[in-house]
Amino acid sequence: MVSLHSLLLKTFFRRKDGVWRADYIRRHHIFHHMGKQCHFEPTSLPSDSWLVSIHDRVSIACGVTFINHDIFSNFLNVNPRYCNHKDFVPLKTHFDTIEIMDDVCIGGGCFIMPGVVIGSNSIVAGGSVVTKDVPEGCVVGGAPARVICSTDEFYKKRRSIEEFDTSVERTREEFENWYWEN
């Protein structure tokens, strides 16, 4: 059934916004849990979606990939170094959960690996590979993801940056000029 939902997200529902997609995932019980007031931009679902739990007020940008299993057992089970050993025991595929706590933002193009918990009030920078738990209240980034600063420090830095006033109707040219001139 997940493949049908994946197909729908990639085709018919592609033009729907992230709030609509998160509500769809919650209504159809695609993940183990999908919280309220979430934003889910990816147009593909993990193959093991029942191993993903997303709490409340989570924003996930496009291109984020959740990986809930690995294929290392395939390699190890046929590798002569291991399978020809007298104590050889065939390995099974490793599966694990991914849990994203309340008030988390995950930037575009991230990979979230098996067994990870992303703590509340955290930000994962775009393009990161999250291989270990993310502490509560942190900004992480990189491959593998490492703590960059606290979410509070990030908020203070963002507040100090002058931004273009988008509350007023402006032309694209005004918007473009403001950014290239500042």
Side-chain angles (χ1 to χ4, degrees):
M1 190 58 139
V2 169
S3 59
L4 171 63
H5 294 296
S6 290
L7 179 64
L8 289 172
L9 282 173
K10 288 179 183 178
T11 57
F12 298 114
F13 303 154
R14 187 177 191 94
R15 295 177 192 250
K16 301 288 187 179
D17 70 14
V19 173
W20 187 93
R21 284 193 199 109
D23 288 341
Y24 179 87
I25 290 167
R26 184 176 44 261
R27 283 192 320 271
H28 293 276
H29 308 286
I30 295 170
F31 289 164
H32 174 73
H33 176 76
M34 175 59 97
K36 297 192 177 185
Q37 296 178 301
C38 291
H39 187 100
F40 188 84
E41 281 296 325
T43 55
S44 62
L45 296 170
S47 58
D48 311 306
S49 60
W50 61 90
L51 295 174
V52 176
S53 182
I54 297 174
H55 293 256
D56 297 334
R57 297 171 306 281
V58 172
S59 294
I60 301 171
C62 61
V64 173
T65 303
F66 298 97
I67 300 172
N68 294 96
H69 67 277
D70 65 35
I71 61 166
F72 300 126
S73 59
N74 297 349
F75 159 75
L76 295 169
N77 286 340
V78 298
N79 186 315
R81 181 179 180 130
Y82 304 105
C83 68
N84 293 338
H85 195 271
K86 63 179 179 173
D87 297 331
F88 175 70
V89 176
L91 300 173
K92 293 182 172 46
T93 301
H94 172 74
F95 288 85
D96 212 338
T97 60
I98 293 171
E99 186 167 15
I100 302 169
M101 307 310 282
D102 294 337
D103 305 305
V104 169
C105 183
I106 301 175
C110 290
F111 288 89
I112 314 299
M113 303 306 286
V116 166
V117 175
I118 299 177
S120 296
N121 197 37
S122 294
I123 298 171
V124 179
S128 298
V129 178
V130 182
T131 59
K132 295 181 180 171
D133 290 354
V134 174
E136 184 175 323
C138 287
V139 176
V140 299
R146 299 192 192 291
V147 174
I148 297 170
C149 64
S150 74
T151 307
D152 291 341
E153 291 169 325
F154 179 77
Y155 176 74
K156 288 174 188 168
K157 287 177 191 174
R158 266 302 168 94
R159 282 192 62 184
S160 69
I161 299 172
E162 184 183 353
E163 295 286 348
F164 185 76
D165 183 5
T166 57
S167 64
V168 179
E169 185 79 22
R170 307 277 177 114
T171 66
R172 175 187 165 175
E173 187 177 350
E174 288 176 300
F175 186 72
E176 194 173 334
N177 288 338
W178 190 88
Y179 273 99
W180 285 103
E181 292 169 6
N182 287 317

